Amino acid sequence: MNADPIALAEAHWVDHGWGEAAPGMRLVTTITRVQQLLHQSIDELLRPDLTFARYEILMLLVFSKRGALPMSVIGSRLQVHAASVTSAVDRLERDGYVTRERGEGDRRQVLARITSAGRRRALAATEILNQEVFEDVGLPAAAAGRLTTSLDRMREHRGETLDA
Amino acid sequence: MNADPIALAEAHWVDHGWGEAAPGMRLVTTITRVQQLLHQSIDELLRPDLTFARYEILMLLVFSKRGALPMSVIGSRLQVHAASVTSAVDRLERDGYVTRERGEGDRRQVLARITSAGRRRALAATEILNQEVFEDVGLPAAAAGRLTTSLDRMREHRGETLDA
DNA sequence: TGCAGATACTTAGACGTCAAAGTATCTGCA
DNA sequence: TGCAGATACTTTGACGTCTAAGTATCTGCA
């Protein structure tokens, strides 16, 4: 018996004469489901003061040379809209992990600067995520590498530039 | 030059002595990004009256024998919380794609039943998604199949039962 | 020099997701 | 028989995402 709803959907696709699209439908749905599962685990590990979105911003700032980046750069690195960055930085600021500054040259810019509390929190979060999620994704290293490569191809196919 | 922020993050991971977790971090982040891209494309194709979440519910109902399912079954098939089902069905009902009924035997249950308008809309949406997304995911069929298999392994690793 | 258009960010509102709490109904056991 | 606890759904509220619209600042060109 196959009780997996996604595999069942694929079979229905074939039955309806959509065989050409069936594997793609299954792949897309499966990606969605895996992302859901990862997102839930990660957010639970980061609660209550961080989420994956805010963690990603913090790590971007940790890796930046000056510990600060314009909002627009954060948005383009993470591929999310400016409004999402605004709201995430609002909350990081509320919790004292980040401060806002006006741009020196261009006064329209807003820089998010990580605080020392932000750095400490980001490193503690990394330790947990490395141990609980990243070090064992459920696949042998080689398979994980091939998976990443295939997914990168999909990113390119949907318009992202990876610049090898 | 490598301008991909995800590949850069992986390099930073290695530099910080987190080499063991680096490939996993990259994989998880890449899955997130691909899902973001797919989600955006799909929701744009379904606008303004559907989203991927609502489309998935509609297709579940299309494939159901009686054209109706309890809210709880919808939630467990799609692996989302009851509250998410409630809000999606609210909107499907608002647009006339679904009606609500009380369960016959168990009066606590609520069944969502697809309407004929809902069926028509679901099939039209499928045609568009098949053509614009599912039939060409950017990978050869064999690679797509391997990808799905690996992702299924990740689903199992994170606690989903696939019952081969 | 000055203004039109572009750019950087924020605000407002819709939607999806989750957690927690509330309501109605069912079930099992004393 | 009746009540305590379980179950099915809804409601409320926090958060992330997007689009659209608003504000401040900059830039280019007449």
Side-chain angles (χ1 to χ4, degrees):
Chain A
M1 286 306 114
N2 196 327
D4 176 16
I6 300 182
L8 272 177
E10 186 185 24
H12 281 127
W13 239 251
V14 173
D15 289 346
H16 280 70
W18 306 322
E20 173 119 7
M25 181 283 299
R26 180 171 181 174
L27 175 56
V28 168
T29 307
T30 303
I31 290 172
T32 298
R33 201 69 74 249
V34 171
Q35 193 272 341
Q36 251 172 46
L37 293 168
L38 289 169
H39 184 272
Q40 283 171 31
S41 304
I42 291 174
D43 278 7
E44 186 171 345
L45 290 167
L46 261 26
R47 250 184 299 177
D49 58 337
L50 285 184
T51 62
F52 192 45
R54 276 176 263 168
Y55 170 74
E56 281 191 291
I57 292 177
L58 242 27
M59 291 312 286
L60 227 41
L61 295 175
V62 165
F63 294 142
S64 68
K65 297 216 192 311
R66 310 182 194 299
L69 291 172
M71 305 293 276
S72 54
V73 171
I74 295 172
S76 72
R77 294 270 174 82
L78 301 181
Q79 295 292 165
V80 295
H81 281 215
S84 303
V85 179
T86 294
S87 96
V89 168
D90 283 348
R91 302 184 210 295
L92 286 169
E93 198 174 24
R94 173 198 65 190
D95 292 331
Y97 295 151
V98 139
T99 56
R100 272 181 162 96
E101 307 173 1
R102 273 288 153 192
E104 290 298 312
D106 188 338
R107 309 270 316 147
R108 290 171 304 179
Q109 281 194 338
V110 171
L111 304 212
R113 176 175 305 283
I114 192 167
T115 64
S116 51
R119 268 181 211 280
R120 282 194 301 276
R121 184 65 183 91
L123 295 181
T126 299
E127 203 165 318
I128 292 171
L129 294 186
N130 280 345
Q131 185 178 324
E132 302 294 328
V133 181
F134 301 150
E135 282 174 13
D136 178 15
V137 292
L139 291 173
R146 282 193 296 273
L147 224 180
T148 299
T149 303
S150 293
L151 290 168
D152 277 344
R153 211 161 295 153
M154 290 184 73
R155 288 172 68 197
E156 286 178 315
H157 182 68
R158 304 217 72 81
E160 278 206 310
T161 319
L162 305 188
D163 263 21
Chain B
M1 286 306 114
N2 197 327
D4 175 16
I6 300 182
L8 272 177
E10 186 185 24
H12 281 127
W13 239 251
V14 173
D15 289 347
H16 280 71
W18 307 322
E20 174 117 7
M25 180 283 300
R26 179 169 180 176
L27 175 56
V28 168
T29 308
T30 304
I31 290 171
T32 298
R33 201 70 74 250
V34 170
Q35 193 272 341
Q36 251 174 46
L37 292 168
L38 289 168
H39 185 271
Q40 284 171 30
S41 304
I42 291 174
D43 278 7
E44 186 171 344
L45 290 167
L46 296 179
R47 249 184 301 180
D49 58 338
L50 285 184
T51 61
F52 192 44
R54 276 176 263 169
Y55 169 75
E56 281 191 290
I57 292 177
L58 242 28
M59 291 311 286
L60 227 42
L61 295 176
V62 165
F63 294 142
S64 68
K65 297 217 191 311
R66 310 183 194 297
L69 290 173
M71 305 293 276
S72 54
V73 170
I74 295 174
S76 73
R77 295 269 174 81
L78 301 181
Q79 296 291 163
V80 295
H81 281 212
S84 303
V85 179
T86 295
S87 96
V89 168
D90 282 348
R91 302 183 210 296
L92 286 169
E93 198 174 24
R94 173 198 67 191
D95 292 332
Y97 295 150
V98 139
T99 56
R100 271 181 163 96
E101 306 172 3
R102 273 288 153 191
E104 290 299 313
D106 188 339
R107 310 272 314 149
R108 289 171 306 178
Q109 280 194 340
V110 171
L111 302 214
R113 176 175 304 284
I114 192 167
T115 63
S116 51
R119 267 180 211 280
R120 282 194 301 276
R121 185 65 184 89
L123 295 181
T126 299
E127 203 165 319
I128 292 172
L129 293 186
N130 280 345
Q131 184 177 327
E132 301 296 328
V133 181
F134 300 149
E135 282 175 13
D136 178 16
V137 292
L139 291 174
R146 283 193 296 273
L147 224 180
T148 299
T149 302
S150 293
L151 291 168
D152 277 344
R153 208 161 297 154
M154 290 184 73
R155 287 172 67 198
E156 286 178 317
H157 183 68
R158 303 217 74 79
E160 277 206 311
T161 319
L162 306 188
D163 263 22

